Amino acid sequence: MSEWETVIGLECHVELDTRTKMFCGCPNEFGAEPNTHVCPVCLGHPGSLPVPNEEAIRRIVKIGLALGSEIAPRSLFHRKNYFYPDMPKNYQISQFDLPICVGGHLEVELPDGTTSRVGITRVHMEEDTGKTTHGSASGRIHDADSALIDYNRAGVPLVECVSEPDMRSPEEAAAYLRELRATLEALDVSDVRMEEGSLRCDANISVRPSGSDALGTKVEIKNMNSIRSLERALHFERERQVAALEAGESIVQETRHWDEDAGATKSMRSKEEAFDYRYFPEPDIPPLAPASGWIEEIRGTLPELPRARRARYESDMGLRPEVARVLVANRASTDLFERTVAIGAEPKAVANWVTQDLAGLLNEAGTDARDSRVAPEHVADLIRLVADGTISGAGAKQVLEEVLETGDEVEMIVDRRSLRQVSDEGALGEIVDMVIAEQPEAVEKLRAGKQELIGFLVGQVMKSSGGSANPKLARELLLERLS
Ligand SMILES: [Zn+2]
């Protein structure tokens, strides 16, 4: 692979979770009954007039400021003309040569701990299209050859963020998308749920001989529904292009579709190059000219961004960089961490619980961290009970599993499952004495210097206590009696 260099740029679409749509007052709500959030404006009826949503403009300015873009003193909406059933107006209101946010960059932390800087070309505002469902989905009355259209999504505010072709590997592209998602989540502008389509990503990828400055022929890949899909698709496409070039073939500029099940990209109709969108300025919306005072007011609302937060966790709380990275990757984890530390728990212990045990369980269950029942009090109680020897580390994991299912209080679960360790010296001492009496051979050998047998004897105490003994205390009592 070293003879070839990969060049990747990403175009990401972000649905803003504003209360209403981009150009009308219809509710912007995911999952509502189809075609219930529509009106003459978002259905494109003749004579209806679009009015830009101020909150959406505020949010795109916020995104631009976070990415270091220049906020254009004057920008324009254009009509992008094309016919598609899920677009009732037959054009999409978008932006063309005068976007709201110009330039910028995102600092991306790579898995090996190094940092790269990915340029942002532009960030512009547009509206989403409706949604087409093919075949017999959802069991509604229609046959397999038909398609159903839901216009609830038509007109939802959509921000397109275009990167420079600055990325050199699928891993770097994945890291960029992760950072962008975390940034948008921190800005509180979108729920960035890739599985629901509120964050979508298309990739442009080409390869060229290492050391060459010229760009190879690029291919656009669509339909990647997760960061993992993006990485897989880019790996596949890089290998495909290199194999083709090494076989003396040339790369066709086209749009390819990522087939998740087949693990391959497949050629789509190459309609793009033939398409003329006939952009022209949207005559019903005046140019946008945000006042500088308004922009500065928005700048004042910018929260701590993921990169700064990671740095703070490392320097002020002593977290390892990889732990800080996992913690800051999503807001639910960050919030749980911050709130647990705020009620007095030790940061490193909290970070371990959130990024390891909890993250592992959520992953196994396929649960989004945002939908988890685990509250700061749960994590703080677990840490406290393990530290004072009330429950074992293994017991604490069982408790956490049950918290995820029921949301019940930690101490309640500990009692219900009888996980309280016997830390009472008198009660545990009796078990220890019993084990010593039952294991004369092991005791003999231990006294003769075979120190490793202490582990065996602790194990016997644990067994006799039905797993409820505090192993640390059991060990101390054994050593005390046998020394
Ligand atoms: Zn509407």
Side-chain angles (χ1 to χ4, degrees), residues 59-116:
R59 291 187 188 195
I60 191 175
V61 168
K62 206 168 165 187
I63 295 170
L65 292 173
L67 297 175
S69 309
E70 187 207 335
I71 308 303
R74 181 178 175 278
S75 68
L76 268 191
F77 282 109
H78 272 70
R79 287 189 184 179
K80 180 180 181 180
N81 297 279
Y82 64 104
F83 171 78
Y84 207 74
D86 62 19
M87 209 172 49
K89 297 201 291 276
N90 285 338
Y91 61 84
Q92 178 186 27
I93 303 180
S94 180
Q95 294 197 291
F96 184 48
D97 53 351
L98 293 169
I100 297 179
C101 312
V102 183
H105 66 271
L106 192 60
E107 298 270 358
V108 174
E109 207 170 309
L110 300 171
D112 66 3
T114 58
T115 304
S116 78

Side-chain angles (χ1 to χ4, degrees), residues 21 24-26 37-43 154:
K21 292 188 183 182
C24 63
C26 288
H37 295 335
V38 291
C39 74
V41 175
C42 55
L43 289 178

